[in-house]
Amino acid sequence: NDFPQVNLIANTENRGFGAANNQAYNIAKGDYFILLNPDTIIKPSAIDNSIRFMQSHPKCGLCGGRLIKPDGELDPSARRFPNSWFKLLTLSGLSDCFSSSSFFNSYNFGGFDHQSAIEVDWVPGTYTVYRRALLQQVGMFDERFYLYYEETDLCLRAKRVGWKIFFIPDAEVVHVGGASSKTRKDLQFDAAGSQVLKFRLRSELLYFRKNYGLVSLLANAGVEMGWHLLRYLVNLLPRRDQNKDKRTYSFALVKQIICAVKDTHWGTVSPPIPW
């Protein structure tokens, strides 16, 4: 009653990020749509600056803003499309060790200070502004992705038909990171602690199989599985007893990859919701 202009959609089950946002899109009006995670705080003028930028760049189909953590640290939000090479650099720690390198941290545009607008491959769905014309052409989120990779998939579809995607610095948003996911105490999280491991692996397999085929799926899953098998074996060596937790995590992750492959039928089928 206090906000008559707001339409509340009260689902009886968690349909997933993509499906829930599709529901909102189907009843929304206007030329632009804003997606905002619940664990965020929008800084003043962020929305106005985003719309102004898109109005002056008619080929910009969607844009993302400058994300910062609650302590003020930058949360990199300009991304290239994922592949097996980027995965290996991330798993090995090279992308973190050389975060300013345009080679080792190319996935996150290493060396980019996030102080200027730049065309990117995709931006996180934490804060994103979409143009209606884009969504009318390529559609909204693929609901097979229950959580993760739905925005990457949409950005790839947009780029393939000629739309441009931008990061803009003067749309600043504070992002806690993983706050919603962490309410799931029954599930294992990845090493960074921000993504539900089972969900991430399933969506990753679906994304690569859908967009690049079986070979790409095998390459990406193989890199991660191979890395953790090697990590497990290395930590079995003498004087490595203190690394029991690393062995446990690597072993569990390999099992989860195998489960994800089975659950998605090699990336061809999305398991029934809710995951």
Side-chain angles (χ1 to χ4, degrees), residues 2 11 23 29 36 56 88 97 166 181 223 237 251 259 266:
D2 292 335
N11 291 327
Q23 285 182 277
K29 301 177 181 179
L36 186 69
S56 63
L88 179 60
C97 290
F166 281 87
S181 298
V223 164
L237 295 173
F251 184 74
C259 286
W266 295 89

Side-chain angles (χ1 to χ4, degrees), residues 18-236:
N21 279 296
N22 287 353
Q23 285 182 277
Y25 167 69
N26 288 332
I27 64 172
K29 301 177 181 179
D31 295 327
Y32 300 94
F33 304 95
I34 299 169
L35 267 63
L36 186 69
N37 279 11
D39 57 350
T40 54
I41 301 172
I42 305 179
K43 292 294 188 73
S45 302
I47 295 176
D48 290 341
N49 291 338
S50 299
I51 301 300
R52 190 179 301 112
F53 179 88
M54 296 184 74
Q55 289 175 335
S56 63
H57 294 76
K59 291 302 294 180
C60 175
L62 65 95
C63 70
R66 187 174 188 270
L67 306 181
I68 56 174
K69 300 175 183 178
D71 61 3
E73 182 183 354
L74 176 69
D75 188 4
S77 49
R79 307 272 173 80
R80 287 188 169 89
F81 290 125
N83 58 40
S84 54
W85 171 243
F86 292 156
K87 178 179 284 293
L88 179 60
L89 291 173
T90 300
L91 289 170
S92 65
L94 289 171
S95 59
D96 284 337
C97 290
F98 302 99
S99 59
S100 296
S101 168
S102 59
F103 177 78
F104 288 110
N105 195 26
S106 180
Y107 178 64
N108 287 310
F109 286 82
F112 175 52
D113 61 3
H114 288 67
Q115 295 294 339
S116 58
I118 183 175
E119 185 178 353
V120 298
D121 284 343
W122 71 282
V123 289
T126 308
Y127 168 82
T128 321
V129 181
Y130 295 82
R131 191 186 296 271
R132 175 184 284 275
L134 162 69
L135 299 177
Q136 288 177 329
Q137 183 177 2
V138 305
M140 268 295 285
F141 294 123
D142 184 338
E143 297 185 11
R144 288 176 293 176
F145 300 98
Y146 181 70
L147 185 63
Y148 312 133
Y149 279 87
E150 63 283 295
E151 72 267 59
T152 316
D153 174 74
L154 193 154
C155 287
L156 180 58
R157 286 186 275 132
K159 297 275 280 192
R160 283 176 168 173
V161 296
W163 288 99
K164 294 185 177 182
I165 297 162
F166 281 87
F167 160 86
I168 60 173
D170 54 356
E172 193 167 86
V173 175
V174 178
H175 181 217
V176 175
S180 297
S181 298
K182 289 173 183 176
T183 60
R184 291 294 301 269
K185 304 299 184 183
D186 57 318
L187 296 171
Q188 181 182 358
F189 286 77
D190 60 16
S194 60
Q195 290 187 322
V196 177
L197 186 57
K198 180 171 74 172
F199 295 178
R200 192 266 292 176
L201 291 171
R202 286 177 170 184
S203 290
E204 197 167 84
L205 294 172
L206 292 167
Y207 171 83
F208 283 108
R209 184 64 186 267
K210 172 188 176 181
N211 292 299
Y212 303 106
L214 180 60
V215 172
S216 180
L217 178 151
L218 293 173
N220 281 271
V223 164
E224 188 159 11
M225 181 178 288
W227 176 264
H228 282 284
L229 284 172
L230 178 61
R231 189 169 181 253
Y232 178 84
L233 293 173
V234 167
N235 284 291
L236 283 175

